[in-house]
Amino acid sequence: MHFSLLHPCDQLVAILNRIYRNGMTTLSGGNLSILEENGDIWITPAGVDKGTLLPQDIVCVRGDGTVDGPHRPSSEYPFHRAIYRKRPDLGAVVHAHAPALISFSITRQVPATNIIPQARRICGPVGCAPYALPGSEKLGENIAETFGDGFNVVLLENHGVATGGPDLLTAFQRLETLDFCARTELKARGLGEVATLTETQLLPFDVQHNRLPEFTPDGHSSHERSLRQQIVKTVHRAVERYLMISTEGTMSARVDRTSFLITPTGIDRGSLEIADLVLIKDGQREQKKLPSRSVRLHSAIYSAHPDINCVITAQSPHILAYAITRGAIDTRVIPESYVLLRDIPIVSYGTQFKDPQQLADIVSQNQPVALIQNDAVLTTGSTIFQAFDRLEVAESTAKVLLDTTNIGPIVPIAGQQLEDLERTFF
């Protein structure tokens, strides 16, 4: 699906649905807009339930100020208009009341975007606009001035966040990524000091490790086609369950001894299609497609482990809280966690770029999950189902452990109980 070719009304509804579904706004909060080249601004309406919004509810404010549509434009229309006037390079603005970001805005703090490499590159520096009455011209001035300083992401004091982009999808991705950082940092602070990445540490992410030689496939077997469907379905499910977001997360599956499929770079995970997946064969990439930056890591794992048929690298907020604090995860909390995850080693940041073989040597059927500092959780499996199950269980286990810190000391499975588990399942 070419999102940019959708009508502005359909774009706004699709993105607002994702924002509402992921808990980044309430039914009455938040608003989005798109600026067309002729000066028309398409914007979400005032007083309409965001959870049931339809394309016909969207309002168009024409360049001459007249309004087309069945509702009043959002009460925050003045600041959308002010931003566009200040930043004519922007084509869309997103405003939301994401709870994690409000937590930062009411303490006059900005979430760290250098906790993982992708986030800093997507969001850039984050600005902060002084408080003013919602819907007022003053609020519009404050926000527009901050955007005018070159920021594309602006935290609003005691209010929420506004993001801009050349198109609506980019603006949304900046919101979603900053929200991910905020959620992850809030969880991590309960574990200890949050480790961030320096600009030097971020540099390997910019190297195009995925620029493999190209080849043209002779055809696509029924097995490969089936895997394409499974991968797309699973990635969409991961996005729905907040195990991945639109800009983060990679999944691959082995096709045969010398080839595997992998998700591409630079394509929204929420609208991924089977044709977007990239076939990798004998170290070459399918012609005119760019695989994930993790392609060399996934390739090393398949080469080292013929029994592994699926690899996932994902940024899920609870498990990533451990990755950005260097915290150890005790999987001996319930039988399912220990049986599926075993012990989870923590791998130094940068290994995934500089020495993927080292990471490939760490994982195995007996060591199926690893945590990469300030990057991702890596899960493997003999099937897509098994690798995804491990991702879900890893995130769930991390959530359990984080929630338990508010109750009391953890009592893990140990001694004879642990021996019985190992004897029965391993």
Side-chain angles (χ1 to χ4, degrees):
M1 177 182 68
H2 294 283
F3 188 80
S4 62
L5 295 180
L6 294 176
H7 189 278
C9 293
D10 294 300
Q11 289 188 44
L12 291 166
V13 169
I15 293 300
L16 190 53
N17 282 342
R18 289 172 71 169
I19 292 172
Y20 182 75
R21 186 174 63 239
N22 286 334
M24 289 186 281
T25 198
T26 59
L27 65 85
S28 60
N31 33 79
L32 328 177
S33 68
I34 294 173
L35 173 67
E36 291 204 283
E37 292 182 359
N38 64 0
D40 291 348
I41 297 176
W42 298 84
I43 191 166
T44 49
V48 177
D49 179 359
K50 302 300 191 294
T52 60
L53 197 71
L54 297 173
Q56 53 263 39
D57 292 316
I58 301 300
V59 178
C60 182
V61 182
R62 302 295 180 188
D64 61 6
T66 59
V67 177
D68 289 344
H71 309 286
R72 292 179 294 108
S74 168
S75 61
E76 303 287 18
Y77 168 73
F79 88 60
H80 287 255
R81 180 186 58 203
I83 292 171
Y84 292 131
R85 288 175 176 173
K86 197 73 173 181
R87 289 282 303 277
D89 59 308
L90 297 179
V93 171
V94 171
H95 168 53
H97 301 161
L101 292 173
I102 291 176
S103 295
F104 280 88
S105 80
I106 64 178
T107 59
R108 304 297 196 269
Q109 297 182 58
V110 174
T113 58
N114 56 347
I115 55 174
I116 60 172
Q118 298 97 314
R120 173 54 64 91
R121 295 299 183 250
I122 292 164
C123 294
V126 179
C128 192
Y131 176 82
L133 182 69
S136 67
E137 293 293 337
K138 180 60 176 175
L139 178 63
E141 292 173 11
N142 291 349
I143 299 173
E145 285 297 325
T146 311
F147 271 94
D149 290 335
F151 296 103
N152 293 316
V153 177
V154 176
L155 208 62
L156 317 182
E157 290 181 352
N158 294 84
H159 193 154
V161 65
T163 61
D167 52 67
L168 185 62
L169 188 57
T170 300
F172 164 70
Q173 289 173 340
R174 287 170 173 159
L175 161 69
E176 186 186 40
T177 302
L178 188 67
D179 177 67
F180 163 82
C181 291
R183 293 193 198 199
T184 304
E185 185 177 344
L186 288 175
K187 294 169 177 60
R189 286 193 182 191
L191 292 173
E193 183 179 356
V194 174
T196 56
L197 299 170
T198 66
E199 191 61 33
T200 299
Q201 289 174 310
L202 289 169
L203 290 177
F205 179 77
D206 297 327
V207 178
Q208 295 185 320
H209 307 276
N210 49 2
R211 289 283 181 184
L212 306 175
E214 294 186 355
F215 81 103
T216 302
D218 294 329
H220 303 281
S221 67
S222 58
H223 175 57
E224 180 198 324
R225 295 179 190 184
S226 175
L227 286 175
R228 285 179 181 269
Q229 292 175 321
Q230 291 179 59
I231 291 172
V232 168
K233 182 178 179 180
T234 306
V235 169
H236 289 172
R237 187 172 177 180
V239 171
E240 290 170 1
R241 293 183 60 75
Y242 210 80
L243 299 168
M244 294 181 182
I245 61 174
S246 60
T247 55
E248 299 165 7
T250 299
M251 179 177 292
S252 68
R254 187 195 297 272
V255 177
D256 54 38
R257 186 177 57 83
T258 63
S259 63
F260 63 93
L261 290 164
I262 191 167
T263 49
T265 192
I267 292 182
D268 171 29
R269 277 67 168 171
S271 56
L272 185 73
E273 296 181 348
I274 58 174
D276 296 325
L277 299 178
V278 186
L279 181 64
I280 307 296
K281 185 175 180 63
D282 294 322
Q284 298 177 300
R285 60 186 167 107
E286 190 174 351
Q287 189 176 33
K288 297 182 180 179
K289 294 184 179 182
L290 194 60
S292 163
R293 290 181 177 87
S294 301
V295 64
R296 294 185 186 275
L297 171 60
H298 288 230
S299 180
I301 292 173
Y302 290 127
S303 296
H305 305 285
D307 52 347
I308 290 178
N309 295 312
C310 181
V311 179
I312 301 173
T313 40
Q315 289 77 12
S316 307
H318 291 91
I319 193 76
L320 259 290
Y322 286 87
I324 67 173
T325 56
R326 315 296 195 256
I329 302 171
D330 190 347
T331 59
R332 296 166 175 80
V333 289
I334 61 172
E336 179 191 44
S337 297
Y338 184 61
V339 169
L340 285 177
L341 307 177
R342 304 298 300 269
D343 292 320
I344 301 179
I346 300 179
V347 181
S348 298
Y349 174 81
T351 304
Q352 71 275 33
F353 303 125
K354 300 173 184 176
D355 192 0
Q357 188 58 53
Q358 179 184 337
L359 187 46
D361 291 339
I362 290 173
V363 298
S364 66
Q365 281 285 49
N366 294 323
Q367 190 79 76
V369 180
L371 198 58
I372 306 171
Q373 291 176 346
N374 289 91
D375 193 347
V377 59
L378 184 150
T379 66
T380 64
S382 59
T383 63
I384 291 175
F385 173 89
Q386 188 178 59
F388 184 68
D389 189 20
R390 284 174 171 148
L391 174 60
E392 285 199 321
V393 173
E395 176 68 357
S396 175
T397 301
K399 184 178 188 305
V400 166
L401 290 169
L402 289 167
D403 289 345
T404 304
T405 60
N406 298 317
I407 302 174
I410 295 168
V411 181
I413 300 169
Q416 186 61 50
Q417 296 172 333
L418 188 61
E419 291 178 14
D420 291 343
L421 266 182
E422 292 179 339
R423 184 172 57 253
T424 301
F425 292 97
F426 307 132

